[in-house]
Structures are given as structure tokens and as C-alpha cells.
Amino acid sequence: MLNCTNLSVSIKKKTILNDLSLAIAPGSVHAIMGPNGSGKSTLAHTIAGNPLYKVTNGDMQFREKTITHLAPHQRARLGIFLSFQQPPAIPGLKVLLLLKEAYRALHPKDDIDTERFQQQVEQYLSLLRMDRAFLYRNCNEGFSGGERKRFELLQLLVLKPKFIILDEIDSGLDVDALALVARVVNMLRAQDDQRSFLIITHYQRILDHVQPDYVHVLCDGSIVDSGDASLVHQVDQKGYDAYKQNTP
Ligand code: ADP
Ligand code: MG
């Protein structure tokens, strides 16, 4: 589904990712673990097409198309969704309007009427244990940490992307909120056996709830170790310093 080949990425002329290769097959869940500042969010934004991040070498293919130079909205249309680590507030844009317009842009052939659309959204809201009034608030304006994360999940449920990048969706959540996030992610996983995930985290706890097929350790902009789900516990025991010592 997604192939990153020998990817090097810089921001403001500073190299962040270095010769990174990653292949994600349809229907698989990959986890990227790594310490703060290792380049996890850079990788996420590079896949989503944030123009701040410059690809200086290598390329990216998504469902057999080269996406390296596509705009973010073109990548979104192909089915890529990035859940932000720090979603920005958009004053004046109501949640329901964003969902409706984004759904129309991503699914132009589905001429679902407004009433039915809203009914579906409300079902997802109750799944996320959110109030209907949420739909009429401005996107991320004054949202608590937990509300921001649930809004990201609401977008996923409504927009039904093919490839989902979750950038630290688990950070700052209490046990109950984490369990809810995990339940929704597992539901999205079960809904479509071709859907793939890239779960970015520096803790093991979300990966206890959402079993990854593959785990990669990112340090200083390079993948320094890859394995199956058992790697999560090794990383947890060894810590990231053990890896850092091996990199210059
Ligand atoms: P992680 O998500 O693993 O914590 P990031 O990808 O956010 O790491 O950051 C990797 C490196 O890139 C850090 O050294 C960070 O300071 C730098 N970086 C990321 N975004 C920016 C930015 N917008 N401007 C300048 N430096 C940045
Ligand atoms: Mg980050």
C-alpha cells in the first residue's frame, strides 16, 4: 500500500530523516516507536505532504502511484489520513461543516443527503461518548486534550480513509480514554481488511490494546530496528538509549 524508499527529509535545511525505507502492505498495522525528536512526526507529515518538510532524496508510492510531489489534498483523496499530534484550532469552522465538506471532497460519488449524513455522524458521536452540541463547536477551539483526540477519531470514522497515521494519539490520555481510542482503532481495523495503519508512539501502552503486525524503532531519523509485536516489550525493557549508543 505505502512504500517509502531511501527517503531523506529536511526541514529548514536540517536533515531529519536519513535514507529511511518502509513498506506497508494493505491490511497491516505498523508501529513506529522512538524517543522525542527522533523524527516520528516528520515521517508522518512527510507522508501526508506537509510542504514544510522537503524530500531531498528517495520517493514514496501509495497504491502504486508516486505521491512524493503531490499536494496534501491529493494524497487525502487517495485515502491517506494523518491524525495530528497537535491538531490546530480553526476559528469559525464548525465541526459538522468540516466533516461534511471533507466527506464530499473525499467521496464525490456518494451523494448522501444532509439528514442521513448527520444521523451517521451522531451515531459515531455516541460511540465516542460525545454530546451532539460538539458538532456546532469550532474545530479544536478550546477543546480539551481528550476532545481533540476524539475529534480526530470522529474524522476517521466519518471519512473512512484507507491508510491511517496516528501520531501519538495515546499521549496524555487516562486509562479509560486510552481504552476508548483503542476500541475505535480496532473497530476501524475490523471494518476493512485492506485498511492499513501507522501508529506512532513512544509508549508501549497503546500497543498492548492494538496489536501491531510490525514494529520499527526510529532513532535520529533512521530505522534502527524492526520486528514483530514482541519488539515493543524489548524496547520497553531496554529503553531507547541502548539504540542511541549505536548511532553516531
Ligand atoms: P518526534 O515526533 O519523534 O518527537 P519530530 O519529527 O517532531 O520528532 O522532530 C524531529 C527533529 O526535527 C527535531 O530535532 C525537531 O526539533 C526538528 N523539527 C521538527 N519540526 C520542526 C520545525 N517545524 N522547525 C524546526 N525544526 C523542526
Ligand atoms: Mg512527534
Side-chain angles (χ1 to χ4, degrees):
M1 172 165 276
L2 176 77
N3 275 293
C4 299
T5 315
N6 304 116
L7 206 58
S8 293
V9 174
S10 67
I11 178 159
K12 296 174 189 158
K13 306 217 164 116
K14 179 177 154 206
T15 301
I16 309 290
L17 298 182
N18 204 350
D19 201 29
L20 184 149
S21 295
L22 180 66
I24 299 180
S28 63
V29 176
H30 286 238
I32 298 246
M33 304 184 75
N36 276 329
S38 55
K40 301 183 301 297
S41 292
T42 300
L43 175 63
H45 282 267
T46 301
I47 296 168
N50 184 333
L52 213 62
Y53 300 83
K54 305 275 178 243
V55 175
T56 54
N57 193 41
D59 64 25
M60 284 175 287
Q61 301 227 319
F62 183 70
R63 298 166 93 186
E64 268 100 60
K65 277 196 186 73
T66 300
I67 59 162
T68 321
H69 301 292
L70 292 187
H73 72 275
Q74 293 171 310
R75 300 184 199 207
R77 266 196 209 127
L78 293 174
I80 296 176
F81 184 99
L82 166 61
S83 162
F84 290 124
Q85 185 172 354
Q86 284 152 339
I90 315 177
L93 179 59
K94 301 227 180 319
V95 164
L96 183 60
L97 187 62
L98 175 116
L99 292 173
K100 212 176 342 176
E101 292 305 316
Y103 185 84
R104 280 211 189 110
L106 298 183
H107 303 277
K109 286 184 198 137
D110 184 0
D111 61 349
I112 182 166
D113 68 71
T114 305
E115 205 173 315
R116 229 187 71 217
F117 180 79
Q118 194 158 336
Q119 277 168 4
Q120 281 187 3
V121 172
E122 284 176 17
Q123 279 176 8
Y124 297 135
L125 272 179
S126 62
L127 179 77
L128 293 168
R129 300 196 199 114
M130 297 176 98
D131 197 88
R132 217 175 148 265
F134 186 75
L135 296 178
Y136 303 97
R137 292 178 66 186
N138 291 331
C139 293
N140 291 310
E141 203 175 43
F143 285 15
S144 69
E147 283 171 336
R148 278 172 204 252
K149 305 283 170 170
R150 279 183 288 172
F151 181 34
E152 297 295 296
L153 293 174
L154 180 62
Q155 291 173 57
L156 285 170
L157 288 163
V158 172
L159 301 178
K160 304 178 171 52
K162 279 278 171 204
F163 179 64
I164 297 170
I165 309 168
L166 301 172
D167 192 1
E168 300 210 18
I169 190 105
D170 50 341
S171 67
L173 296 184
D174 61 32
V175 184
D176 293 333
L178 183 76
L180 179 65
V181 167
R183 185 141 41 89
V184 172
V185 172
N186 283 324
M187 206 182 98
L188 286 160
R189 190 179 185 180
Q191 238 172 34
D192 180 350
D193 65 4
Q194 297 294 295
R195 181 176 277 156
S196 303
F197 294 80
L198 183 62
I199 300 179
I200 295 174
T201 182
H202 58 256
Y203 300 112
Q204 75 162 76
R205 49 183 211 154
I206 190 167
L207 302 175
D208 289 337
H209 297 272
V210 184
Q211 277 278 313
D213 300 303
Y214 300 95
V215 178
H216 313 276
V217 180
L218 187 69
C219 272
D220 292 332
S222 299
I223 289 178
V224 293
D225 204 357
S226 292
D228 61 17
S230 65
L231 188 57
V232 176
H233 299 279
Q234 286 177 40
V235 170
D236 199 50
Q237 279 164 10
K238 277 203 293 195
Y240 294 118
D241 284 347
Y243 288 107
K244 279 189 188 159
Q245 281 154 14
N246 298 330
T247 52

